[in-house]
């Protein structure tokens, strides 16, 4: 079997998935169609339809694009079958019904941005950083009935440096994911459609605690200033630049406004003030935690642009009080 013999349908939506699709196209794999989300209404009155990043790239490459509202829609399924795909590759898409993932003769594999069985779920990159992990990675696995539980084909690690935020890890895993996707396909080609895979249950060490990666909501992103400073540091970088950790800023006159915090720095300095208290020292902004002060470097007030803390102090120096 060669690249040309293997008919691939690619499924994905965001920029993260484009890197893998681009790698397939540029390395002459036979991508016969792309499945992505329907165009999204944007603009003040939702009058404009915005295609996904995957659709934009696929159209540029003259690859047929399918955009089903429902994955079990009979018309969509009939159209999908006409491409006679041998394999489906899924990157950052949606949950697929069995009638879809079981359609190709060699199955459907997913590229997941974590080292399964750890960090199953919708936000593995965020939660790995929030939890202070020093390593994550990419897993390819065959889809089955439950989310992120299928047989593992390949894994490759990725180191998370202490100063990395989610964007840094996202970019690294996006590139690594494309590489692992190609290696996985090559193994399938070399095996004539067969590739060794391992049940995730066999990969779990006795008494191991698995971390999960549920979807992140606004309330998930509120900073708990009573946590240790290292935990807060990881929490902020685990949500930066998107969706952004936030807190309620209380001014000296008692007014409250939402403040997003995009970057903080660890210090060894301590304070006797209450947890959450804001302090200015030598033109820098600090917030107190149960152990050490954290330096706030980049923030954004509700309705304002993102700014460095020194610019914030220029306008708010006499009114800062605390965060809660």
């Amino acid at each position: 079997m060669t690249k040309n013999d293997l008919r691939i349908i690619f499924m994905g939506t965001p920029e993260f998935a484009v890197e893998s699709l681009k790698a397939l196209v540029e390395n002459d794999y036979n991508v016969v169609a792309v499945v992505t989300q329907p165009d999204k209404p944007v603009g003040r009155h939702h009058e404009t339809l915005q295609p996904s990043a995957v659709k934009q790239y696929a159209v540029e490459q003259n690859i047929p694009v399918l955009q089903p509202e429902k994955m079990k829609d009979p018309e969509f399924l009939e159209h999908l079958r006409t491409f006679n795909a041998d394999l489906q590759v899924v990157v950052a898409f949606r949950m697929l019904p069995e009638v879809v993932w079981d359609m190709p003769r060699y199955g459907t594999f997913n590229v997941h941005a974590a080292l399964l069985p750890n960090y199953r779920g919708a936000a593995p990159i965020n939660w790995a950083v929030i939890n202070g992990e020093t390593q994550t990675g990419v897993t390819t696995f065959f889809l089955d009935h439950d989310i992120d539980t299928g047989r593992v084909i390949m894994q490759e690690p990725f180191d998370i440096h202490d100063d990395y935020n989610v964007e840094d890890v996202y970019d690294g895993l996006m590139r690594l994911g494309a590489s692992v996707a190609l290696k996985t396909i090559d193994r399938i080609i070399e095996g004539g459609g067969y590739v060794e895979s391992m049940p995730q249950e066999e990969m779990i060490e006795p008494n191991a605690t698995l971390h999960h990666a549920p979807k992140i909501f606004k309330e998930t992103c509120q900073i708990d200033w009573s946590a240790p400073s290292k935990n807060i540091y990881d929490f902020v970088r685990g949500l930066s630049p998107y969706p952004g950790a936030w807190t309620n800023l209380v001014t000296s006159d008692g007014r409250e406004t939402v403040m997003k915090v995009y970057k903080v720095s660890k210090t060894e300095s301590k304070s006797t003030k209450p947890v959450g208290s804001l302090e200015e020292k030598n033109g820098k902004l600090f917030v107190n935690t149960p152990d050490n002060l954290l330096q706030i470097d980049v923030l954004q007030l509700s309705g304002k642009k993102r700014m460095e803390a020194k610019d914030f102090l220029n306008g708010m120096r006499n009114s800062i009080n605390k965060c809660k």
Side-chain angles (χ1 to χ4, degrees), residues 16-80:
F16 189 91
V18 174
E19 191 74 14
S20 293
L21 176 57
K22 185 178 179 182
L24 289 173
V25 171
E26 292 184 350
N27 286 279
D28 299 321
Y29 291 84
N30 187 18
V31 180
V32 296
V34 160
V35 181
T36 190
Q37 295 280 44
D39 294 358
K40 183 179 179 180
V42 296
R44 186 172 182 181
H45 303 291
H46 291 179
E47 71 278 8
T48 303
L49 291 177
Q50 176 71 38
S52 72
V54 162
K55 179 181 178 179
Q56 292 179 55
Y57 180 78
V59 169
E60 291 172 1
Q61 301 300 317
N62 296 314
I63 302 172
V65 176
L66 286 69
Q67 296 178 273
E69 291 282 352
K70 296 180 180 179
M71 299 301 293
K72 292 184 179 181
D73 178 75
E75 186 176 339
F76 162 68
L77 294 174
E78 183 179 351
H79 193 183
L80 192 64

Side-chain angles (χ1 to χ4, degrees), residues 127-250:
W127 285 108
V129 181
I130 289 171
N131 289 336
E133 302 284 4
T134 58
Q135 189 178 76
T136 183
V138 166
T139 301
T140 53
F141 68 96
F142 285 116
L143 294 189
D144 64 11
H145 294 93
D146 298 314
I147 296 176
D148 299 336
T149 60
R151 296 175 65 95
V152 168
I153 308 167
M154 282 190 67
Q155 290 188 324
E156 288 195 12
F158 178 85
D159 292 335
I160 304 176
H161 297 175
D162 188 60
D163 60 346
Y164 279 6
N165 64 12
V166 160
E167 186 171 45
D168 299 316
V169 182
Y170 178 101
D171 289 346
L173 292 180
M174 181 170 65
R175 293 187 292 270
L176 180 61
S179 171
V180 175
L182 298 193
K183 292 177 183 178
T184 300
I185 295 171
D186 287 344
R187 286 190 181 184
I188 292 171
I189 292 173
E190 290 165 7
Y194 172 79
V195 64
E196 290 187 3
S197 58
M198 178 179 292
Q200 291 188 35
E201 292 75 16
E202 296 181 11
M203 302 172 66
I204 302 173
E205 298 291 336
N207 302 316
T209 300
L210 296 182
H211 295 286
H212 298 283
K215 187 176 181 178
I216 290 175
F217 299 94
K218 180 181 178 181
E219 56 269 24
T220 312
C221 303
Q222 184 172 11
I223 301 169
D224 177 10
W225 296 108
S226 67
S229 58
K230 175 62 166 63
N231 292 29
I232 299 172
Y233 173 81
D234 292 334
F235 187 79
V236 169
R237 67 192 182 101
L239 295 168
S240 179
Y242 182 83
W246 64 273
T247 185
N248 286 312
L249 173 67
V250 183

Side-chain angles (χ1 to χ4, degrees), residues 6-7 18 37 75 89 102 109 111 120 139 186 245 260-261 278 318:
L6 189 72
R7 296 174 62 82
V18 174
Q37 295 280 44
E75 186 176 339
V89 179
D102 195 43
F109 77 79
V111 178
R120 294 169 176 163
T139 301
D186 287 344
K260 285 193 173 184
V261 181
L278 289 168
N318 297 321

